[in-house]
């Protein structure tokens, strides 16, 4: 078996508004959780109660994601400011 080698350079990663994207996804997970709450009994009886807990877990992990990307974004901005200050001197 031969080793696979790329034939071209990998593109630069896209940088968008990651904080807004993660926040929006987190809100969707929590909204889905709240929408399903009135159907708790039906979900339990049908064996689909895991849908409810999946939405709650998605919202909780989304909160961790929001915390992470906000810190990452702040670190990137600090690094860029330090590089700009370095170039001025």
């Amino acid at each position: 078996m031969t080793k696979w080698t790329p034939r071209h350079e990998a593109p630069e990663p896209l940088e968008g508004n990651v904080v807004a994207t993660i926040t929006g996804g987190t809100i969707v997970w929590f909204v889905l959780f709240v929408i399903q709450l009135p159907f708790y009994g039906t979900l339990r009886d049908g064996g689909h109660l895991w849908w409810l807990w999946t939405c709650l877990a998605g919202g909780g992990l989304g909160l961790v994601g929001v915390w992470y990307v906000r810190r990452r974004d702040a670190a990137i901005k600090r690094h860029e400011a330090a590089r700009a200050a370095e170039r001025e001197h």
Side-chain angles (χ1 to χ4, degrees), residues 48-65:
H48 298 292
L49 195 56
W50 63 272
W51 292 359
L52 184 70
W53 305 124
T54 299
C55 292
L56 185 61
L61 289 172
L63 291 176
V64 173

Side-chain angles (χ1 to χ4, degrees), residues 15 19 66-84:
E15 289 292 334
V19 176
V66 169
W67 171 80
Y68 178 81
V69 296
R70 287 181 59 137
R71 287 185 50 120
R72 177 184 177 270
D73 194 39
I76 289 170
K77 288 178 182 175
R78 278 193 313 270
H79 179 72
E80 288 174 355
R83 287 181 66 184

Side-chain angles (χ1 to χ4, degrees), residues 8-14:
H8 53 81
E9 292 286 326
E12 289 294 319
L14 296 174

